[in-house]
Amino acid sequence: MTAVTKVLAGLGMLERGRDQTATFAAAAAASRMTMGTPTRSATSGPASRRPPSSRSALGDSFLASVDSRVADDLTRRAVVQHADAGEVFVSETDSQWAGIVLSGMARVFLRTPSGRQVTLRTATPGGSIGIAAVFAAGSISAQAITDCDLLPLDTQRLMTLARVHPDLAMAIARELSVRLLETYGEIVIRAHGSVHQRLARQLLHLGSVEGPQMSLAVTMSHSEVADAVGSA
């Protein structure tokens, strides 16, 4: 079964009429979703060392299959960056940025000429952001959906090491393939899923990051939630 077939099958299971829509609404209420205007204060700053969660996140990242000496060369000078929920921590107008999500959840998006935001995929711990844009000389934007810790990568060093270390080059290729398939799935859901289905999916993604024991509070405005689920 292909990735697209799986997504379509999942959508078919979700489409159960009004009773299922009510279930989605109940799930949203149970999650205690609160929406407000996010604080945009600049809280990103250096950390003296990586939090314990970062080590496990790196173990789930594309660097896990890379020679430890190469991975250390790439990350030893990296400083953990924090982004508050709702903060756009990288924009298409910025210089190229690439990094790994250590904790939390972020969405990767592009802006249309009219200013509308189109979400490409979500990134959870161990996932990368911006690598394709670096190698293709492109740009993307990313916003923290929950509070996030991020490990920025030296993009020039990443490209230099990839040229001389085949294991890193292959790891990057695998990572880009996984993220491309995720983007394909997002396109299918955006094209064929209802707003209720997309909202429910977003809440399930958030629940998987926060864990079953954590209450869910989304500090995003209504317009930002609409952007995230593609209903703007």
Side-chain angles (χ1 to χ4, degrees), residues 12-208:
M13 293 176 64
L14 286 173
E15 191 58 60
R16 301 296 187 192
R18 294 182 179 179
D19 291 341
Q20 190 68 26
T21 298
T23 302
F24 291 153
S31 297
R32 291 184 290 180
M33 182 176 180
T34 59
M35 293 180 290
T37 302
T39 301
R40 297 294 187 178
S41 58
T43 57
S44 301
S48 57
R49 57 184 177 182
R50 298 172 199 163
S53 61
S54 70
R55 290 188 286 272
S56 61
L58 285 177
D60 293 332
S61 75
F62 73 97
L63 293 178
S65 62
V66 177
D67 186 290
S68 60
R69 293 168 295 182
V70 177
D72 288 343
D73 186 348
L74 182 60
T75 62
R76 73 163 62 101
R77 295 182 180 84
V79 177
V80 174
Q81 172 185 343
H82 178 77
D84 288 335
E87 178 182 349
V88 176
F89 56 87
V90 60
S91 173
E92 294 162 69
T93 58
D94 298 336
S95 57
Q96 288 184 331
W97 186 96
I100 296 170
V101 178
L102 300 179
S103 66
M105 179 179 180
R107 71 183 183 99
V108 182
F109 66 94
L110 292 174
R111 289 185 175 89
T112 67
S114 63
R116 181 179 178 182
Q117 296 180 9
V118 179
T119 300
L120 302 177
R121 63 180 181 87
T122 56
T124 52
S128 67
I129 295 175
I131 292 179
V134 169
F135 282 89
S139 60
I140 48 89
S141 295
Q143 179 185 37
I145 297 177
T146 66
D147 288 353
C148 291
D149 285 325
L150 311 153
L151 189 69
L153 300 176
D154 183 331
T155 56
Q156 291 300 318
R157 190 63 181 157
L158 177 65
M159 296 179 72
T160 298
L161 291 172
R163 292 189 183 101
V164 295
H165 293 284
D167 59 336
L168 176 58
M170 285 300 299
I172 291 171
R174 285 192 296 269
E175 175 71 3
L176 294 181
S177 298
V178 169
R179 304 312 163 197
L180 180 60
L181 291 175
E182 288 178 354
T183 302
Y184 287 163
E186 191 72 27
I187 291 171
V188 171
I189 290 173
R190 294 303 174 92
H192 298 283
S194 69
V195 173
H196 285 95
Q197 289 169 349
R198 297 197 298 267
L199 178 58
R201 179 172 173 270
Q202 187 77 9
L203 293 175
L204 290 171
H205 273 311
L206 287 165
S208 69

